[in-house]
Coordinates of all heavy atoms in Angstrom, one line a residue:
M1 N 2.0 2.5 10.2 CA 2.7 1.2 10.1 C 2.8 0.8 8.7 O 1.8 1.0 7.9 CB 1.9 0.1 10.9 CG 2.5 -1.3 10.7 SD 1.6 -2.6 11.4 CE 1.0 -2.0 13.0
R2 N 4.0 0.3 8.3 CA 4.1 -0.2 6.9 C 4.2 -1.7 6.9 O 4.7 -2.3 7.9 CB 5.5 0.3 6.3 CG 5.5 1.8 5.9 CD 6.8 2.2 5.3 NE 7.2 1.4 4.2 CZ 6.7 1.6 2.9 NH1 5.8 2.5 2.7 NH2 7.0 0.9 1.9
L3 N 3.6 -2.3 5.9 CA 3.6 -3.7 5.7 C 4.1 -4.2 4.4 O 4.1 -3.4 3.4 CB 2.1 -4.3 5.8 CG 1.4 -4.0 7.1 CD1 -0.1 -4.5 7.0 CD2 2.1 -4.6 8.3
R4 N 4.7 -5.4 4.3 CA 5.1 -6.0 3.1 C 4.3 -7.3 2.9 O 4.2 -8.0 3.9 CB 6.6 -6.3 3.1 CG 7.0 -7.1 1.8 CD 8.5 -7.6 1.9 NE 9.4 -6.4 2.1 CZ 10.3 -6.4 3.0 NH1 10.4 -7.3 4.0 NH2 11.1 -5.3 3.1
V5 N 3.8 -7.5 1.8 CA 3.0 -8.7 1.5 C 3.8 -9.4 0.4 O 4.3 -8.8 -0.6 CB 1.6 -8.4 1.1 CG1 1.5 -7.6 -0.2 CG2 0.8 -9.7 0.9
E6 N 3.9 -10.8 0.6 CA 4.5 -11.6 -0.5 C 3.5 -12.7 -0.7 O 2.8 -13.2 0.2 CB 5.7 -12.3 0.1 CG 6.8 -11.4 0.5 CD 8.0 -12.1 1.2 OE1 8.4 -13.1 0.6 OE2 8.4 -11.6 2.2
F7 N 3.2 -13.0 -2.0 CA 2.1 -13.9 -2.3 C 2.4 -14.6 -3.6 O 3.1 -14.2 -4.4 CB 0.7 -13.2 -2.4 CG 0.6 -12.3 -3.5 CD1 0.1 -12.7 -4.7 CD2 1.0 -11.0 -3.4 CE1 0.0 -11.8 -5.9 CE2 0.9 -10.1 -4.5 CZ 0.4 -10.5 -5.7
T8 N 1.7 -15.8 -3.7 CA 1.6 -16.6 -4.9 C 0.3 -17.1 -5.1 O -0.5 -17.3 -4.0 CB 2.6 -17.8 -5.0 OG1 2.3 -18.6 -3.8 CG2 4.1 -17.4 -4.9
T9 N -0.2 -17.4 -6.3 CA -1.5 -18.0 -6.6 C -1.2 -19.3 -7.4 O -0.2 -19.4 -8.0 CB -2.4 -17.0 -7.4 OG1 -1.8 -16.8 -8.6 CG2 -2.7 -15.7 -6.6
E10 N -2.1 -20.2 -7.1 CA -2.0 -21.5 -7.8 C -3.4 -21.8 -8.4 O -4.4 -21.4 -7.9 CB -1.6 -22.6 -6.9 CG -0.2 -22.4 -6.2 CD 0.3 -23.4 -5.3 OE1 -0.1 -24.6 -5.5 OE2 0.9 -23.0 -4.3
P11 N -3.4 -22.7 -9.4 CA -2.4 -23.5 -10.0 C -1.4 -22.7 -10.8 O -1.8 -21.7 -11.5 CB -3.1 -24.6 -10.7 CG -4.4 -24.0 -11.1 CD -4.7 -23.0 -10.0
F12 N -0.2 -23.3 -10.9 CA 0.8 -22.6 -11.8 C 0.6 -23.1 -13.2 O 0.1 -24.2 -13.5 CB 2.2 -23.1 -11.4 CG 2.6 -22.6 -10.0 CD1 2.9 -23.4 -9.0 CD2 2.8 -21.2 -9.8 CE1 3.2 -22.9 -7.7 CE2 3.2 -20.7 -8.6 CZ 3.5 -21.6 -7.5
D13 N 1.1 -22.3 -14.1 CA 1.1 -22.6 -15.5 C 2.3 -21.9 -16.0 O 2.4 -20.7 -16.1 CB -0.1 -22.2 -16.3 CG -0.1 -22.6 -17.8 OD1 1.0 -22.9 -18.3 OD2 -1.2 -22.7 -18.3
L14 N 3.4 -22.6 -16.4 CA 4.6 -22.0 -16.8 C 4.6 -21.5 -18.3 O 5.4 -20.7 -18.7 CB 5.8 -23.0 -16.7 CG 6.1 -23.4 -15.3 CD1 7.3 -24.4 -15.2 CD2 6.4 -22.2 -14.4
D15 N 3.6 -22.0 -19.1 CA 3.5 -21.5 -20.4 C 2.8 -20.2 -20.6 O 3.1 -19.4 -21.5 CB 2.8 -22.5 -21.3 CG 3.6 -23.8 -21.3 OD1 4.8 -23.7 -21.4 OD2 3.0 -25.0 -21.4
E16 N 1.8 -20.0 -19.8 CA 0.9 -18.8 -19.9 C 0.3 -18.4 -18.5 O -0.1 -19.3 -17.8 CB -0.3 -19.0 -20.9 CG -1.1 -17.9 -21.1 CD -2.2 -18.1 -22.2 OE1 -2.0 -19.1 -23.0 OE2 -3.2 -17.4 -22.2
A17 N 0.4 -17.2 -18.2 CA -0.2 -16.7 -16.9 C -1.6 -17.0 -16.8 O -2.4 -16.6 -17.7 CB 0.1 -15.2 -16.6
P18 N -2.1 -17.8 -15.8 CA -3.5 -18.1 -15.6 C -4.3 -16.8 -15.3 O -3.7 -15.9 -14.7 CB -3.6 -19.1 -14.5 CG -2.2 -19.4 -14.1 CD -1.3 -18.5 -14.8
A19 N -5.6 -16.8 -15.5 CA -6.4 -15.7 -15.2 C -6.3 -15.2 -13.8 O -6.2 -14.0 -13.5 CB -7.9 -16.1 -15.5
H20 N -6.1 -16.1 -12.9 CA -6.1 -15.7 -11.4 C -4.7 -15.0 -11.2 O -4.8 -14.1 -10.4 CB -6.3 -16.9 -10.5 CG -5.3 -18.0 -10.6 ND1 -4.0 -17.9 -10.2 CD2 -5.4 -19.1 -11.4 CE1 -3.4 -19.1 -10.5 NE2 -4.2 -19.8 -11.2
A21 N -3.6 -15.4 -11.8 CA -2.4 -14.6 -11.7 C -2.5 -13.3 -12.3 O -1.9 -12.3 -11.7 CB -1.3 -15.5 -12.2
V22 N -3.1 -13.1 -13.4 CA -3.3 -11.9 -14.1 C -4.1 -10.9 -13.2 O -3.7 -9.8 -13.0 CB -3.9 -12.0 -15.5 CG1 -4.2 -10.7 -16.1 CG2 -2.9 -12.8 -16.4
V23 N -5.2 -11.5 -12.6 CA -6.0 -10.6 -11.8 C -5.3 -10.2 -10.6 O -5.3 -9.0 -10.1 CB -7.3 -11.4 -11.4 CG1 -8.0 -10.8 -10.2 CG2 -8.2 -11.6 -12.5
A24 N -4.6 -11.1 -9.9 CA -3.7 -10.7 -8.7 C -2.7 -9.7 -9.1 O -2.5 -8.6 -8.3 CB -3.0 -12.0 -8.2
R25 N -2.1 -9.7 -10.2 CA -1.1 -8.8 -10.6 C -1.7 -7.4 -10.8 O -1.3 -6.4 -10.4 CB -0.4 -9.1 -11.9 CG 0.7 -8.3 -12.4 CD 1.3 -8.8 -13.7 NE 1.7 -10.1 -13.6 CZ 1.5 -11.0 -14.5 NH1 0.9 -10.7 -15.6 NH2 1.9 -12.3 -14.4
E26 N -2.9 -7.4 -11.4 CA -3.6 -6.1 -11.7 C -4.1 -5.5 -10.4 O -4.0 -4.3 -10.2 CB -4.8 -6.4 -12.6 CG -4.5 -6.7 -14.0 CD -5.6 -7.2 -14.9 OE1 -6.7 -7.4 -14.3 OE2 -5.4 -7.3 -16.1
V27 N -4.5 -6.3 -9.4 CA -5.0 -5.8 -8.1 C -3.8 -5.1 -7.4 O -3.9 -3.9 -7.0 CB -5.6 -6.9 -7.2 CG1 -5.7 -6.4 -5.8 CG2 -6.9 -7.3 -7.7
I28 N -2.6 -5.7 -7.4 CA -1.5 -5.2 -6.7 C -1.0 -3.9 -7.4 O -0.6 -3.0 -6.8 CB -0.4 -6.2 -6.5 CG1 -0.9 -7.3 -5.5 CG2 0.9 -5.7 -6.1 CD1 -1.2 -6.8 -4.1
Q29 N -0.9 -4.0 -8.7 CA -0.3 -2.9 -9.5 C -1.2 -1.7 -9.4 O -0.8 -0.5 -9.5 CB 0.0 -3.3 -10.9 CG 1.1 -4.3 -11.0 CD 1.5 -4.7 -12.4 OE1 0.6 -5.0 -13.2 NE2 2.8 -5.0 -12.6
S30 N -2.6 -1.9 -9.3 CA -3.5 -0.8 -9.2 C -3.7 -0.2 -7.9 O -4.3 0.9 -7.7 CB -4.8 -1.1 -9.9 OG -5.5 -2.1 -9.1
A31 N -3.3 -0.9 -6.8 CA -3.4 -0.5 -5.5 C -2.4 0.7 -5.2 O -1.5 0.9 -5.8 CB -3.2 -1.6 -4.5
D32 N -2.7 1.4 -4.1 CA -1.9 2.5 -3.7 C -0.8 2.0 -2.8 O -0.7 2.2 -1.6 CB -2.8 3.5 -2.8 CG -2.0 4.8 -2.6 OD1 -1.0 5.1 -3.2 OD2 -2.4 5.5 -1.6
L33 N 0.1 1.2 -3.5 CA 1.2 0.6 -2.9 C 2.6 1.1 -3.5 O 2.5 1.6 -4.6 CB 1.2 -0.9 -2.9 CG -0.1 -1.6 -2.4 CD1 -0.1 -3.0 -2.7 CD2 -0.1 -1.3 -0.9
D34 N 3.7 0.8 -2.9 CA 4.9 1.2 -3.5 C 5.8 -0.1 -3.4 O 5.5 -1.1 -2.8 CB 5.7 2.3 -2.8 CG 5.6 2.3 -1.3 OD1 6.1 1.3 -0.8 OD2 5.2 3.3 -0.7
A35 N 6.9 -0.1 -4.1 CA 7.9 -1.2 -4.1 C 7.2 -2.5 -4.6 O 7.5 -3.5 -4.0 CB 8.5 -1.4 -2.7
V36 N 6.4 -2.4 -5.6 CA 5.7 -3.6 -6.2 C 6.6 -4.3 -7.1 O 7.3 -3.7 -8.0 CB 4.4 -3.1 -6.9 CG1 3.8 -4.3 -7.7 CG2 3.5 -2.5 -6.0
D37 N 6.7 -5.7 -6.9 CA 7.6 -6.5 -7.7 C 6.7 -7.7 -8.0 O 6.4 -8.5 -7.1 CB 8.9 -6.8 -7.0 CG 9.8 -7.7 -7.8 OD1 9.7 -7.6 -9.0 OD2 10.7 -8.5 -7.2
V38 N 6.4 -7.9 -9.3 CA 5.6 -9.1 -9.7 C 6.5 -10.0 -10.5 O 7.3 -9.6 -11.3 CB 4.3 -8.7 -10.4 CG1 3.4 -8.0 -9.5 CG2 4.6 -7.9 -11.7
G39 N 6.3 -11.3 -10.4 CA 7.1 -12.2 -11.1 C 6.4 -13.6 -11.2 O 5.3 -13.7 -10.6
P40 N 7.0 -14.5 -12.0 CA 6.2 -15.8 -12.3 C 6.1 -16.7 -11.0 O 5.3 -17.5 -11.0 CB 7.1 -16.4 -13.3 CG 8.4 -15.9 -13.2 CD 8.3 -14.4 -12.6
F41 N 7.0 -16.5 -10.0 CA 7.0 -17.5 -8.9 C 6.7 -16.8 -7.5 O 6.7 -17.4 -6.5 CB 8.3 -18.2 -8.8 CG 8.6 -19.0 -10.1 CD1 9.6 -18.6 -10.9 CD2 7.8 -20.1 -10.3 CE1 9.8 -19.3 -12.1 CE2 8.1 -20.9 -11.5 CZ 9.1 -20.4 -12.3
G42 N 6.5 -15.5 -7.6 CA 6.2 -14.8 -6.4 C 6.1 -13.3 -6.6 O 6.6 -12.8 -7.6
N43 N 5.4 -12.6 -5.7 CA 5.1 -11.2 -5.9 C 5.3 -10.6 -4.5 O 4.9 -11.1 -3.5 CB 3.7 -11.0 -6.4 CG 3.4 -11.9 -7.6 OD1 3.8 -11.6 -8.7 ND2 2.7 -13.0 -7.4
T44 N 5.7 -9.3 -4.5 CA 5.8 -8.6 -3.3 C 5.4 -7.2 -3.5 O 5.5 -6.6 -4.6 CB 7.3 -8.6 -2.7 OG1 8.1 -7.9 -3.7 CG2 7.8 -10.0 -2.4
A45 N 4.9 -6.5 -2.4 CA 4.5 -5.2 -2.5 C 4.6 -4.6 -1.0 O 4.4 -5.4 -0.1 CB 3.1 -5.0 -3.0
E46 N 4.9 -3.3 -0.9 CA 4.9 -2.7 0.4 C 4.1 -1.4 0.3 O 3.8 -0.8 -0.7 CB 6.3 -2.2 0.7 CG 7.3 -3.3 1.0 CD 8.6 -2.8 1.4 OE1 8.8 -1.7 1.9 OE2 9.6 -3.6 1.3
G47 N 3.7 -1.0 1.5 CA 2.9 0.2 1.6 C 2.3 0.4 3.0 O 2.6 -0.3 3.9
H48 N 1.5 1.5 3.2 CA 0.9 1.8 4.4 C 0.0 0.6 4.7 O -0.6 0.0 3.8 CB 0.1 3.1 4.3 CG -0.5 3.5 5.6 ND1 -1.7 3.2 6.0 CD2 0.0 4.3 6.5 CE1 -1.9 3.7 7.2 NE2 -0.9 4.4 7.5
A49 N -0.2 0.3 6.0 CA -1.0 -0.9 6.4 C -2.4 -0.9 5.8 O -2.8 -1.9 5.3 CB -1.0 -0.9 8.0
D50 N -3.1 0.2 5.9 CA -4.4 0.2 5.4 C -4.5 -0.2 3.9 O -5.3 -0.9 3.4 CB -5.1 1.6 5.6 CG -5.4 1.9 7.1 OD1 -5.5 0.9 7.8 OD2 -5.5 3.1 7.4
A51 N -3.5 0.3 3.1 CA -3.6 0.1 1.7 C -3.2 -1.4 1.4 O -3.7 -2.0 0.6 CB -2.5 1.0 1.0
V52 N -2.2 -1.9 2.2 CA -1.8 -3.3 2.0 C -3.0 -4.2 2.4 O -3.3 -5.3 1.6 CB -0.5 -3.7 2.8 CG1 -0.3 -5.1 2.8 CG2 0.7 -2.9 2.2
L53 N -3.6 -4.0 3.5 CA -4.7 -4.8 3.9 C -5.9 -4.8 2.9 O -6.5 -5.8 2.6 CB -5.1 -4.4 5.3 CG -4.1 -4.7 6.4 CD1 -4.5 -4.2 7.7 CD2 -3.7 -6.2 6.5
A54 N -6.1 -3.5 2.4 CA -7.2 -3.5 1.4 C -6.8 -4.2 0.1 O -7.7 -4.9 -0.5 CB -7.5 -2.0 1.1
A55 N -5.6 -4.1 -0.3 CA -5.2 -4.9 -1.5 C -5.2 -6.4 -1.3 O -5.6 -7.1 -2.2 CB -3.7 -4.4 -1.8
V56 N -4.8 -6.9 -0.1 CA -4.9 -8.3 0.2 C -6.4 -8.8 0.1 O -6.6 -9.9 -0.4 CB -4.2 -8.6 1.6 CG1 -4.6 -10.0 2.1 CG2 -2.7 -8.4 1.5
D57 N -7.2 -7.9 0.7 CA -8.7 -8.4 0.6 C -9.1 -8.5 -0.8 O -9.7 -9.6 -1.2 CB -9.5 -7.4 1.4 CG -11.0 -7.7 1.3 OD1 -11.4 -8.7 1.8 OD2 -11.8 -6.8 0.6
A58 N -8.8 -7.5 -1.6 CA -9.2 -7.6 -3.1 C -8.4 -8.7 -3.8 O -9.0 -9.4 -4.6 CB -8.8 -6.3 -3.7
L59 N -7.2 -8.9 -3.5 CA -6.4 -10.0 -4.1 C -7.1 -11.3 -3.8 O -7.2 -12.2 -4.7 CB -5.0 -9.9 -3.5 CG -4.1 -11.1 -3.7 CD1 -3.6 -11.1 -5.2 CD2 -3.0 -11.2 -2.8
L60 N -7.4 -11.6 -2.5 CA -8.0 -12.9 -2.2 C -9.3 -13.1 -2.9 O -9.6 -14.1 -3.5 CB -8.2 -13.0 -0.7 CG -6.9 -13.1 0.1 CD1 -7.2 -12.9 1.6 CD2 -6.2 -14.3 -0.2
R61 N -10.2 -12.1 -2.8 CA -11.5 -12.2 -3.4 C -11.4 -12.3 -4.9 O -12.1 -13.2 -5.5 CB -12.4 -11.0 -3.0 CG -12.7 -10.9 -1.6 CD -13.5 -9.6 -1.2 NE -13.6 -9.5 0.2 CZ -14.6 -10.0 0.9 NH1 -15.5 -10.8 0.3 NH2 -14.7 -9.9 2.2
D62 N -10.7 -11.5 -5.6 CA -10.6 -11.5 -7.1 C -10.0 -12.6 -7.6 O -10.4 -13.2 -8.6 CB -10.0 -10.1 -7.6 CG -10.8 -8.9 -7.2 OD1 -12.0 -9.0 -6.6 OD2 -10.4 -7.9 -7.5
S63 N -8.9 -13.1 -7.0 CA -8.1 -14.2 -7.5 C -8.8 -15.5 -7.3 O -8.9 -16.4 -8.2 CB -6.7 -14.3 -6.7 OG -5.9 -13.2 -7.0
L64 N -9.6 -15.7 -6.2 CA -10.4 -16.9 -6.0 C -11.5 -16.9 -7.1 O -11.8 -17.9 -7.6 CB -10.9 -16.9 -4.6 CG -9.9 -17.2 -3.5 CD1 -10.4 -17.0 -2.1 CD2 -9.3 -18.7 -3.7
G65 N -12.1 -15.7 -7.3 CA -13.2 -15.6 -8.2 C -12.7 -15.8 -9.6 O -13.5 -16.3 -10.5
A66 N -11.4 -15.7 -9.9 CA -10.8 -15.9 -11.2 C -10.2 -17.3 -11.4 O -9.6 -17.7 -12.3 CB -9.8 -14.9 -11.6
G67 N -10.5 -18.2 -10.4 CA -10.0 -19.6 -10.5 C -8.9 -20.0 -9.7 O -8.5 -21.2 -9.8
A68 N -8.3 -19.2 -8.8 CA -7.2 -19.7 -8.0 C -7.7 -20.7 -7.0 O -8.9 -20.7 -6.5 CB -6.6 -18.5 -7.2
T69 N -7.0 -21.8 -6.9 CA -7.3 -22.9 -6.0 C -6.5 -22.8 -4.7 O -6.9 -23.5 -3.7 CB -7.1 -24.3 -6.6 OG1 -5.8 -24.4 -7.0 CG2 -8.1 -24.4 -7.8
R70 N -5.5 -22.0 -4.7 CA -4.7 -21.8 -3.4 C -4.0 -20.5 -3.6 O -3.4 -20.1 -4.7 CB -3.6 -22.9 -3.3 CG -2.7 -22.8 -2.2 CD -1.7 -23.9 -2.1 NE -0.8 -23.7 -1.1 CZ -0.4 -24.7 -0.3 NH1 -0.8 -25.9 -0.4 NH2 0.5 -24.4 0.7
I71 N -4.0 -19.7 -2.5 CA -3.2 -18.5 -2.4 C -2.3 -18.5 -1.2 O -2.9 -18.7 -0.1 CB -4.2 -17.3 -2.4 CG1 -5.1 -17.2 -3.6 CG2 -3.3 -16.0 -2.3 CD1 -6.2 -16.2 -3.6
S72 N -1.1 -18.4 -1.4 CA -0.1 -18.4 -0.2 C 0.3 -17.0 0.0 O 0.8 -16.4 -1.0 CB 1.0 -19.3 -0.4 OG 0.6 -20.6 -0.7
L73 N 0.2 -16.5 1.2 CA 0.7 -15.1 1.4 C 1.3 -15.0 2.8 O 1.0 -15.8 3.7 CB -0.4 -14.0 1.2 CG -1.6 -14.0 2.1 CD1 -1.4 -13.2 3.3 CD2 -2.7 -13.4 1.3
Q74 N 2.2 -14.0 2.9 CA 2.8 -13.7 4.1 C 2.9 -12.2 4.2 O 3.1 -11.5 3.3 CB 4.3 -14.2 4.1 CG 5.1 -13.9 5.3 CD 6.4 -14.5 5.3 OE1 6.6 -15.7 4.8 NE2 7.4 -13.9 5.9
V75 N 2.5 -11.6 5.4 CA 2.5 -10.2 5.7 C 3.5 -10.0 6.8 O 3.4 -10.6 7.8 CB 1.1 -9.8 6.0 CG1 1.1 -8.2 6.4 CG2 0.1 -10.0 4.9
N76 N 4.4 -9.0 6.6 CA 5.4 -8.6 7.5 C 5.3 -7.1 7.8 O 5.0 -6.3 6.9 CB 6.8 -8.9 7.1 CG 7.1 -10.4 6.9 OD1 7.0 -11.2 7.8 ND2 7.3 -10.8 5.7
V77 N 5.5 -6.8 9.1 CA 5.7 -5.4 9.4 C 7.1 -4.9 8.9 O 8.1 -5.6 9.2 CB 5.6 -5.2 10.9 CG1 5.8 -3.7 11.3 CG2 4.2 -5.6 11.4
V78 N 7.2 -3.8 8.3 CA 8.4 -3.2 7.8 C 8.7 -2.0 8.7 O 7.9 -1.1 9.0 CB 8.3 -2.8 6.3 CG1 9.6 -2.2 5.9 CG2 7.9 -4.0 5.5
A79 N 10.0 -1.9 9.0 CA 10.5 -0.8 9.9 C 10.2 0.5 9.1 O 10.4 0.7 7.9 CB 12.0 -0.9 10.1
E80 N 9.7 1.6 9.8 CA 9.5 2.9 9.3 C 10.7 3.4 8.6 O 11.8 3.2 9.1 CB 9.0 3.9 10.3 CG 7.6 3.5 10.8 CD 6.5 3.8 9.7 OE1 6.6 4.6 8.8 OE2 5.5 3.0 9.8
G81 N 10.6 4.1 7.5 CA 11.7 4.7 6.8 C 12.3 3.7 5.8 O 13.1 4.1 5.0
H82 N 11.9 2.4 5.8 CA 12.4 1.5 4.8 C 11.5 1.5 3.6 O 10.3 1.5 3.7 CB 12.4 0.1 5.5 CG 12.9 -1.0 4.5 ND1 12.0 -1.7 3.7 CD2 14.1 -1.5 4.3 CE1 12.6 -2.5 3.0 NE2 13.9 -2.5 3.3
K83 N 12.2 1.5 2.4 CA 11.4 1.4 1.1 C 12.0 0.4 0.3 O 13.2 0.1 0.3 CB 11.3 2.7 0.5 CG 10.1 3.5 1.1 CD 9.8 4.6 0.1 CE 8.6 5.4 0.6 NZ 8.1 6.3 -0.3

């Protein structure tokens, strides 16, 4: 099964990426995922279910540890063969 995760971390800072946002970006970019897209207002990544779920676990733990006060995320099943 393939999954897509979309997430944001808060609080926002439009002038400089907060530590929790940088940590979240590093977690997702270093995970064994594909179709990673990071941006200032939202981030997405796709991959095999096990890899996405492991990345979400690390994302939650590491971002909260780095000062995130809210993390919004959505996980969707992606049809096989879609990238």
Side-chain angles (χ1 to χ4, degrees):
M1 176 187 317
R2 286 183 58 79
L3 299 176
R4 175 186 300 125
V5 61
E6 301 174 45
F7 68 92
T8 58
T9 62
E10 296 179 38
F12 293 114
D13 184 339
L14 296 178
D15 295 326
E16 183 177 338
H20 59 80
V22 172
V23 166
R25 183 179 312 135
E26 290 171 351
V27 166
I28 291 300
Q29 290 177 326
S30 67
D32 186 22
L33 302 172
D34 46 53
V36 174
D37 183 24
V38 295
F41 300 109
N43 309 281
T44 61
E46 289 183 21
H48 187 270
D50 290 338
V52 171
L53 295 174
V56 166
D57 178 64
L59 167 76
L60 293 171
R61 293 174 188 277
D62 294 357
S63 296
L64 290 169
T69 58
R70 178 180 175 138
I71 302 169
S72 301
L73 64 88
Q74 180 174 326
V75 178
N76 294 299
V77 175
V78 177
E80 289 294 328
H82 178 269
K83 277 197 174 188

